[in-house]
Amino acid sequence: MTTKQSHITVPPALFSLKLHDSHRRETVPFIPEDPAHIRLYFCGPTVYDRVHLGNLRSMLSADIMVRLLHALYERVTYVRNITDIDDKIIQRAAENGEDITHLTERTTKDFHQDLTALNILPPTIEPRATHHIPDMLAMIERLITQGHAYEADGHVLFDVTSFPSYGALSGRSLEDMQAGARVEVADYKRHPGDFVLWKPSNATEPGWDSPYGRGRPGWHIECSAMAERYLGESFDIHGGGNDLLFPHHENERAQSLCCHPHSHFARHWLHTGMLLSGGEKMSKSLGNFHTIHEVLERAPAEALRLLFLGAHYRSTLDFTWEKLEEARHIMDRFYRALEKTPATKDDSRPVDVLNALCDDLNTPQALSILHRYADAALEGQQEAANQLLAGGQLLGLFTMSPTEWFQGGTELDPATIDALIEKRLAARKVRDFALADQIRNDLAAQGILLEDGPNGTTWRKG
């Protein structure tokens, strides 16, 4: 897959890109390994179910990052992996009575459909864990040879005490560290924080032959091996949700730097903030757990995208249906501005929007700029409409025309709606206001709102 970007590349020297680096815990200038080739890696989904809104934050942050890098640099390679072997996958397949391959193929397809609907660009490369077992085994062998890993009870484990800076990324001391998510606590570990690189598989579980017996990889080794395969020993940006900071990214960093002690692995670490739902952590037991698919059945994709862009990627975002409706109204206003003053394609660059994004992906600031352009476009200013369109498209918005936004996707045929509008107009001319009101109300009940103006009656989706 290739990542396409329509905006003209601008010289990065004209902009000062700054990013908050989780490792250094401060906002720093972005200094690439090679300005001629920007490389970044974001952790993708574990494919056993529909992707939920919490996952979307990381995917959307990566999308804005990639769009910005494409605007600033000539060549960008973006890798986002698919984890298609994991204990959760094995468990879900068993619960469903479903073949594991069928489950992962089905949920990967769902994942792609959800992100396509949200205009999230595909990665340059999307490796799958099961296609890179030899790469993982080669890395495990190096770690054992270099004294950073050991075999125990059919497992291979990473020795966290062998890496002096273990905990530096997440800011945790080894002494205080407890085993985190997906880390098994077992008596065969030398240290409770040691994590699995390879684990045995029984006869009913998927497995691969290895020098350590038939088994499967641990979670963390997957990303290290795939990042090295496609981006090299050192690359520019590694990102994901802040829930991955520990243990996943901490463990990735440790095993990769132990394999290549003279490398940087990732020069910059980006982590997105937590998503709340109705003021609380999203949970199925609380009834506030929402998948992307569920939300897109109730609201346009661009409204959901705008809602997420309205909060800085590192801040906590609280999703509510009311906020989603507000975002829809904002998109109505933006499209009204482009309807009032249609934009013309030209070579103008949304410099102020670019500057906002160069300030650690400040999407709220970028949206405030779009509001100013919308104000001016509603007053008929052509250049403002051009900048509104160009700036919005840099944010992945405006994927359709105003007509498509206001009238597309209705169950009623547009010709039928137009005929009813004419019938209503005829009724009003003969002062049959009861019939005119009935037509308006019947259309409203089907999600079609009529708007009377000096130039006649128009309609839009409700």
Side-chain angles (χ1 to χ4, degrees):
M1 287 180 285
T2 58
T3 300
K4 296 181 179 179
Q5 186 69 4
S6 60
H7 294 282
I8 295 173
T9 302
V10 297
L14 298 179
F15 297 88
S16 177
L17 176 56
K18 297 178 294 183
L19 300 172
H20 187 86
D21 179 42
S22 301
H23 186 197
R24 285 171 278 188
R25 294 167 185 77
E26 60 180 338
T27 302
V28 298
F30 173 65
I31 302 175
E33 284 275 317
D34 177 9
H37 184 193
I38 308 301
R39 292 164 291 155
L40 66 160
Y41 187 103
F42 272 71
C43 290
T46 300
V47 285
Y48 66 96
D49 205 345
R50 282 279 187 178
V51 176
H52 60 75
L53 290 184
N55 298 134
L56 176 58
R57 287 209 82 184
S58 175
M59 305 300 170
L60 187 52
S61 296
D63 186 60
I64 297 299
M65 184 79 261
V66 169
R67 289 174 184 272
L68 176 60
L69 291 172
H70 271 288
L72 299 179
Y73 295 93
E74 196 67 37
R75 184 183 178 194
V76 178
T77 296
Y78 166 38
V79 177
R80 184 188 66 211
N81 71 293
I82 294 286
T83 295
D84 58 353
I85 177 62
D86 182 87
D87 289 351
K88 288 185 178 181
I89 295 174
I90 296 171
Q91 179 180 349
R92 180 59 58 84
E95 292 171 353
N96 294 352
E98 185 176 10
D99 177 75
I100 287 176
T101 300
H102 183 268
L103 171 64
T104 58
E105 290 294 332
R106 175 173 60 80
T107 50
T108 298
K109 181 180 179 181
D110 291 341
F111 168 69
H112 288 154
Q113 288 177 342
D114 288 344
L115 266 58
T116 298
L118 283 158
N119 195 28
I120 291 178
L121 299 172
T124 317
I125 304 166
E126 190 175 59
R128 300 191 181 200
T130 55
H131 296 177
H132 294 81
I133 302 298
D135 297 312
M136 300 176 208
L137 289 171
M139 181 169 274
I140 291 170
E141 182 180 359
R142 287 202 301 271
L143 290 170
I144 292 175
T145 301
Q146 295 172 11
H148 295 293
Y150 60 94
E151 296 182 61
D153 197 22
H155 295 71
V156 180
L157 299 111
F158 183 89
D159 180 4
V160 295
T161 64
S162 72
F163 183 52
S165 71
Y166 188 80
L169 177 61
S170 59
R172 302 175 181 226
S173 67
L174 194 58
E175 292 75 17
D176 297 334
M177 207 173 289
Q178 299 295 321
R182 303 196 195 186
V183 177
E184 299 175 7
V185 178
D187 55 11
Y188 51 75
K189 292 186 177 184
R190 297 176 184 173
H191 184 280
D194 291 352
F195 58 89
V196 173
L197 301 172
W198 190 260
K199 63 174 69 175
S201 294
N202 62 35
T204 65
E205 296 172 329
W208 291 263
D209 292 334
S210 81
Y212 326 108
R214 182 179 177 277
R216 60 189 189 276
W219 178 34
H220 314 297
I221 196 68
E222 298 175 9
C223 288
S224 283
M226 289 184 281
E228 178 186 329
R229 171 72 178 273
Y230 294 105
L231 299 177
E233 297 175 8
S234 298
F235 53 94
D236 297 302
I237 298 170
H238 196 318
N242 62 4
D243 58 318
L244 299 182
L245 185 58
F246 182 86
H248 186 48
H249 288 167
E250 188 74 69
N251 293 349
E252 272 191 73
R253 175 179 178 271
Q255 61 201 11
S256 293
L257 289 178
C258 284
C259 277
H260 306 290
H262 301 296
S263 71
H264 298 293
F265 187 44
R267 293 181 70 95
H268 300 266
W269 290 86
L270 267 66
H271 289 92
T272 56
M274 179 182 294
L275 177 82
L276 301 178
S277 181
E280 298 182 278
K281 185 175 180 181
M282 199 164 59
S283 168
K284 289 183 178 179
S285 63
L286 294 175
N288 65 351
F289 182 93
H290 306 296
T291 65
I292 296 173
H293 180 70
E294 173 196 352
V295 174
L296 294 186
E297 288 185 325
R298 293 182 55 172
E302 287 194 25
L304 178 58
R305 186 179 180 101
L306 184 85
L307 171 59
F308 274 56
L309 294 176
H312 191 274
Y313 78 93
R314 289 192 289 112
S315 67
T316 299
L317 170 64
D318 185 17
F319 171 85
T320 66
W321 295 111
E322 292 77 15
K323 289 180 180 178
L324 184 60
E325 186 62 21
E326 290 173 9
R328 181 174 184 165
H329 290 318
I330 292 173
M331 288 306 306
D332 283 346
R333 183 172 181 274
F334 285 163
Y335 274 109
R336 282 283 181 229
L338 293 175
E339 183 179 54
K340 169 73 174 179
T341 310
T344 58
K345 288 284 188 179
D346 57 31
D347 292 339
S348 62
R349 298 162 181 157
V351 173
D352 44 5
V353 175
L354 279 168
N355 276 322
L357 296 180
C358 282
D359 182 17
D360 193 31
L361 305 185
N362 193 338
T363 54
Q365 176 64 23
L367 289 178
S368 72
I369 295 167
L370 294 193
H371 277 288
R372 294 202 299 270
Y373 285 138
D375 290 341
L378 285 166
E379 294 176 356
Q381 295 185 27
Q382 184 63 61
E383 181 58 25
N386 295 346
Q387 292 291 292
L388 174 61
L389 178 65
Q393 289 182 338
L394 184 59
L395 295 170
L397 301 172
F398 304 137
T399 60
M400 60 188 79
S401 69
T403 299
E404 290 170 328
W405 172 261
F406 289 117
Q407 299 184 353
T410 59
E411 293 185 6
L412 281 179
D413 179 68
T416 301
I417 298 172
D418 290 338
L420 289 169
I421 290 174
E422 289 297 323
K423 183 177 180 180
R424 175 175 175 266
L425 178 60
R428 294 177 69 182
K429 285 182 178 179
V430 298
R431 305 185 68 79
D432 187 352
F433 297 116
L435 177 58
D437 289 344
Q438 180 183 340
I439 292 172
R440 174 190 283 276
N441 294 337
D442 288 347
L443 286 172
Q446 299 177 77
I448 304 299
L449 302 182
L450 302 185
E451 296 179 347
D452 296 317
N455 297 320
T457 301
T458 59
W459 65 272
R460 64 180 178 86
K461 294 180 296 183

